[in-house]
């Protein structure tokens, strides 16, 4: 398994560098590091049943209908148990305080008392019913269940996003939410060269280009320079803010491509901006495990 070894070591370097450059976020980066590393490894290596993407319609995409609104991206044959048990080990590594609860959760999953498919089969729409059922019948904390489910979904969706991009080639997409899974972005990246803005989805890992002068959340036109909030002395980091919908989007400026980057690690590294913006009364465009602060 050479490839995943290489990926693991690249991931370790990314995490080490993030800790070094963002000492204020080091606790959070170290907690999420092993989880993100395991997710990337699973995304590349796990065997998933094939899905048929031939009915995904490029015209619908152009009109803003995401892939997940067109076809189901979860299969009844997805290896949910295998992914879940691997991820709970990684969560324990990063967040040892959760060990007892996660061991209980793993036990229920491996004996089949907790059927993860109940959640994914109901997705999207009725998935919270499954979580309520686990809370009532198995005394599972809904926040831990949701956390684990979002981690599993990311592995499945990121792999599907890659397959879709490969199967479909280029397609037009002009929305501020994700073309694959329909979630709003967790972070944006602006390339120094050309100044283009790329949005990143933490639910499935997809990235896409989006105009800099429109709010990705409510589509209000924003003037180019007015709507960015900077922390003094940090010119590479900012938050796009929209005064219409009161949302913000953490934004990173990239001067070069010297180092490999993981956008989720970057988003976690910039959590001080989440604190500042939420303190000012703004909300993130999407809730992530690391940016729900109050
Ligand atoms: Zn997505
Ligand atoms: Zn807005």
């Amino acid at each position: 398994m050479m490839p995943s070894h290489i990926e693991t070591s690249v991931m370790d370097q990314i995490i080490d560098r993030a800790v070094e450059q963002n000492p204020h976020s080091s606790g959070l980066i170290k907690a999420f590091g092993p989880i993100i590393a395991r997710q990337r490894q699973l995304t590349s290596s796990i065997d998933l049943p094939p899905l048929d993407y031939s009915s995904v319609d490029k015209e619908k995409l152009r009109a803003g209908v995401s892939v997940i609104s067109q076809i189901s991206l979860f299969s009844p044959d997805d290896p949910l148990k295998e992914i879940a048990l691997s991820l709970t080990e990684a969560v324990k590594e990063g967040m040892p305080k959760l060990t007892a609860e996660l061991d209980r959760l793993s036990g229920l999953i491996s004996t089949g008392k907790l059927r993860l498919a109940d959640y994914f089969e109901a997705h999207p729409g009725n998935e919270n019913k499954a979580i309520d059922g686990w809370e009532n019948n198995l005394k599972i904390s809904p926040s831990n269940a949701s956390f684990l489910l979002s981690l599993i979904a990311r592995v499945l969706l990121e792999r599907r996003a890659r397959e879709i991009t490969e199967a479909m080639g280029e397609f037009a997409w002009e929305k501020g939410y994700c073309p694959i899974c329909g979630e709003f972005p967790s972070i944006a990246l602006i390339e120094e060269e050309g100044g283009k803005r790329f949005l990143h989805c933490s639910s499935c890992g997809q990235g896409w280009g989006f105009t800099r002068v429109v709010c990705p959340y409510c589509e209000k036109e924003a003037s180019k320079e007015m709507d960015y909030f900077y922390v003094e002395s940090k010119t590479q980091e900012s938050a796009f803010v929209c005064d219409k919908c009161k949302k913000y989007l953490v934004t990173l400026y990239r001067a070069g491509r010297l180092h490999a980057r993981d956008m989720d690690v970057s988003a976690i590294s910039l959590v001080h901006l989440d604190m500042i913006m939420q303190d000012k009364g703004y909300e993130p465009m999407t809730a992530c495990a690391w940016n729900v602060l109050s």
Side-chain angles (χ1 to χ4, degrees), residues 12-218:
D12 287 346
Q13 287 166 22
I14 289 173
I15 290 165
D16 289 348
R17 200 162 44 240
V19 168
E20 209 174 285
Q21 290 174 350
N22 306 278
H24 52 273
S25 310
S26 65
L28 210 53
I29 300 167
K30 284 178 186 162
F32 280 95
I35 303 168
I36 293 176
R38 183 68 57 91
Q39 285 180 308
R40 302 296 180 271
Q41 212 180 330
L42 285 166
T43 299
S44 306
S45 65
I46 197 121
D47 276 328
L48 294 188
L51 289 183
D52 178 11
Y53 300 115
S54 60
S55 62
V56 179
D57 183 345
K58 284 191 179 182
E59 284 309 310
K60 284 189 184 163
L61 284 167
R62 188 190 295 275
V65 184
S66 64
V67 175
I68 206 166
S69 306
Q70 298 190 35
I71 60 165
S72 173
L73 293 177
F74 299 112
S75 161
D77 301 320
D78 283 336
L80 297 173
K81 204 187 266 192
E82 187 186 344
I83 298 172
L85 296 179
S86 175
L87 286 172
T88 48
E89 288 309 305
V91 177
K92 275 157 61 178
E93 209 182 300
M95 304 173 179
K97 274 186 190 158
L98 294 178
T99 298
E101 173 81 357
L102 284 166
D103 281 342
R104 206 167 70 82
L105 198 52
S106 306
L108 292 167
I109 291 168
S110 42
T111 54
K113 289 195 179 104
L114 191 158
R115 258 187 94 247
L116 292 162
D118 289 347
Y119 174 87
F120 287 96
E121 280 163 14
H123 190 90
N126 278 320
E127 63 269 38
N128 288 332
K129 258 192 199 160
I131 298 178
D132 289 346
W134 300 338
E135 185 187 7
N136 295 332
N137 306 328
L138 304 168
K139 306 284 170 262
I140 292 294
S141 126
S143 60
N144 287 342
S146 306
F147 181 42
L148 181 62
L149 289 161
S150 71
L151 299 178
I152 299 169
R154 167 65 188 263
V155 170
L156 294 169
L157 290 174
E158 181 164 5
R159 176 68 162 275
R160 298 311 187 184
R162 284 186 200 173
E163 292 173 0
I164 291 159
T165 318
E166 207 166 289
M168 305 208 22
E170 295 248 324
F171 57 85
W173 183 257
E174 290 166 2
K175 290 292 173 182
Y177 51 84
C178 174
I180 305 295
C181 77
E183 285 292 335
F184 282 97
S186 56
I187 183 169
L189 180 77
I190 292 179
E191 297 270 6
E192 192 186 54
E193 217 174 292
K196 280 196 175 138
R197 175 163 72 170
F198 293 91
L199 307 182
H200 170 80
C201 173
S202 283
S203 297
C204 75
Q206 182 74 11
W208 68 101
F210 188 74
T211 168
R212 271 174 79 167
V213 294
V214 171
C215 168
Y217 196 86
C218 73

Side-chain angles (χ1 to χ4, degrees), residues 215 217-220 242 244-247:
C215 168
Y217 196 86
C218 73
E219 301 188 344
K220 179 198 172 232
C242 177
K244 188 178 170 211
C245 65
K246 300 286 174 197
K247 303 280 182 191

